[in-house]
Amino acid sequence: MIATSFFDKEFVVVGGKGGVGKTSLTVALGKLSARRGRRTLICLANAPARYRALLGGVPLTPEISTIEKNLDAVNLEPRASQEEYGRSVLPSRTLHKLVFGSQVVRTFLDAVPGLAEWAMLGKATYHALASTPQQPKYDIVLFDSPATGHGLDVLGLPRAIAASVPAGRIRDEALQRVELLEDPSRTEAIPVTLPEEMPVTETREYIAGLRELHLPVERVIVNRFLSDPPSAGLKAAVEDEGKKALPEWMLPAAVALGAYASQKHAIERLERNLRIPIIVLPHLREEGLGAADIDVLADELEPQISR
């Protein structure tokens, strides 16, 4: 499979296991797109407030906020997304207020399986589909998907609704989203993983799930790779000591050597099994990433994703 350009897409799903850095990479991809002059929207799925640091301190709210030139962001909070969808369905503001102002109704809606997820996905895809004088269509929308299994459930909703709901507006909207999500010229799912055995195994399963949903997968991002290999001299010294107990001063070097070898093996396994381009990004730090780190990730991404 020959990957098409990321910069030609209209809707990009960034997904993977929790803790692999997919939100940071969603923002980095958004910055990269904005640099190319594309009007870009980052959609975070019910993200906690601490993620505002990734956006340079801009508050995360259900309203679209501007991060920088060509780059906006929105936090898809379930209840706010439900109410926004309700405003598009109900013909009058008074009726909308009566329905969504009722605690009984709100409690009921919160309990309906899949409704919150459909509202969030619907809002994210709306910005890639709709174009009005008040809200022009974005060139590209990046959706920071919920983690793996939950993420697959969310992405599978349009197909499930189209197959089970009678003809009408909701089914038409679901079919419109199926058409968007399954079109490789418009949409791409980018899985994010770590160079470790368990995340790699889960990523293979996640990609299989994406392909069952007919979502195009053209590349994978491997995050937090130990990019500086141990020197040849250090490797030889550790190997020379291999058959006896290592001196204490050599233990950190042996640990670093083992970690690097393990990560390289995990990446090679991914390459053998997937046979699609793999983007490898360096390990910056364990936590507390900020806007400056996002710029570093965007710089690292640019030459690899442009190939």
Side-chain angles (χ1 to χ4, degrees), residues 262-279:
S262 175
Q263 290 196 342
K264 283 285 287 182
H265 177 265
I267 292 172
E268 289 164 0
R269 179 176 162 225
L270 203 57
E271 289 172 333
R272 284 195 307 271
N273 285 285
L274 296 181
R275 300 184 182 280
I276 55 176
I278 294 177
I279 294 171

Side-chain angles (χ1 to χ4, degrees), residues 111-183:
V112 176
L115 182 59
E117 288 82 359
W118 171 242
M120 288 194 295
L121 181 62
K123 179 173 172 60
T125 49
Y126 167 81
H127 292 296
L129 291 166
S131 184
T132 67
Q134 295 76 29
Q135 178 62 65
K137 186 170 86 72
Y138 283 89
D139 296 318
I140 183 171
V141 174
L142 294 115
F143 178 51
D144 176 29
S145 170
T148 46
H150 186 202
L152 290 174
D153 289 342
V154 171
L155 295 170
L157 280 172
R159 268 181 160 261
I161 291 170
S164 59
V165 173
R169 175 172 176 170
I170 293 177
R171 186 170 186 273
D172 289 344
E173 290 182 351
L175 287 170
Q176 189 182 33
R177 281 151 177 80
V178 169
E179 183 180 355
L180 170 69
L181 293 174
E182 296 183 7
D183 185 345

Side-chain angles (χ1 to χ4, degrees), residues 191-212:
V192 178
T193 189
L194 300 179
E196 300 169 10
E197 291 301 313
M198 187 173 293
V200 162
T201 296
E202 292 191 16
T203 298
R204 291 171 58 197
E205 295 170 354
Y206 177 59
I207 291 173
L210 289 169
R211 287 174 171 163
E212 283 183 15

Side-chain angles (χ1 to χ4, degrees), residues 23 39 86 106 172 191 201 228:
T23 301
R39 189 163 182 268
R106 291 168 71 99
D172 289 344
T201 296
D228 295 324

